[in-house]
Amino acid sequence: QAEEELKEGRARQALQLQEMGRRERLLRADLERAREQLASFRTHVMRVCSPAAAGDARKAVTEQQVIEKVRQIAEENQRSREQAKCLQEALSCRLSKEEEVSANVEVLEKSLRELQ
């Protein structure tokens, strides 16, 4: 009976090992696919950002220059969002004041009509 249990244990371990191998192969394939996508994206970004790609005779940009440009664009984007938020708040405040003034005008007009 002990021998049978050992055989079953080994069989379970063999199946687990096979499953682990399968998962490892899938993970390696996913990793390789991600690397290829990253390389493709990098190539695309470099091509887009390179002056040579636009027909400029200047030297192609370096990765560091692209990274810095992307960082600058992200910062400008953040500033633009903050500015848009401030403008939206100012607009909201102005609309509230306008509504208040409109309400006051209506009250004034009503009072003037009553006085006439």
Side-chain angles (χ1 to χ4, degrees):
Q1 185 181 2
E3 187 176 329
E4 188 65 32
E5 288 176 5
L6 284 174
K7 285 181 182 179
E8 289 175 6
R10 279 195 304 259
R12 278 193 305 275
Q13 286 178 342
L15 287 174
Q16 288 174 344
L17 188 59
Q18 285 177 345
E19 179 62 18
M20 287 172 54
R22 185 185 71 80
R23 288 182 185 172
E24 182 181 1
R25 284 189 302 278
L26 289 173
L27 288 172
R28 287 184 188 275
D30 287 347
L31 177 62
E32 186 58 32
R33 206 170 13 260
R35 282 183 179 150
E36 290 169 2
Q37 289 173 342
L38 179 60
S40 174
F41 178 72
R42 180 191 163 283
T43 301
H44 182 72
V45 168
M46 293 300 289
R47 194 176 317 128
V48 167
C49 294
S50 175
D56 195 335
R58 291 179 288 167
K59 182 181 172 187
V61 295
T62 65
E63 282 186 45
Q64 188 59 39
Q65 289 171 316
V66 171
I67 290 168
E68 187 57 37
K69 186 65 175 176
V70 169
R71 186 176 291 124
Q72 288 173 0
I73 291 169
E75 289 171 359
E76 289 172 11
N77 188 17
Q78 181 63 31
R79 281 193 297 272
S80 295
R81 285 182 182 167
E82 290 170 3
Q83 185 180 18
K85 184 179 177 183
C86 289
L87 290 171
Q88 184 64 39
E89 290 171 358
L91 178 62
S92 179
C93 182
R94 197 170 276 209
L95 287 174
S96 295
K97 287 180 181 178
E98 189 176 304
E99 289 173 0
E100 185 181 335
V101 168
S102 293
N104 289 339
V105 167
E106 287 179 21
V107 169
L108 181 60
E109 288 175 344
K110 182 181 175 184
S111 295
L112 286 174
R113 280 193 299 269
E114 290 174 359
L115 285 173
Q116 289 177 346

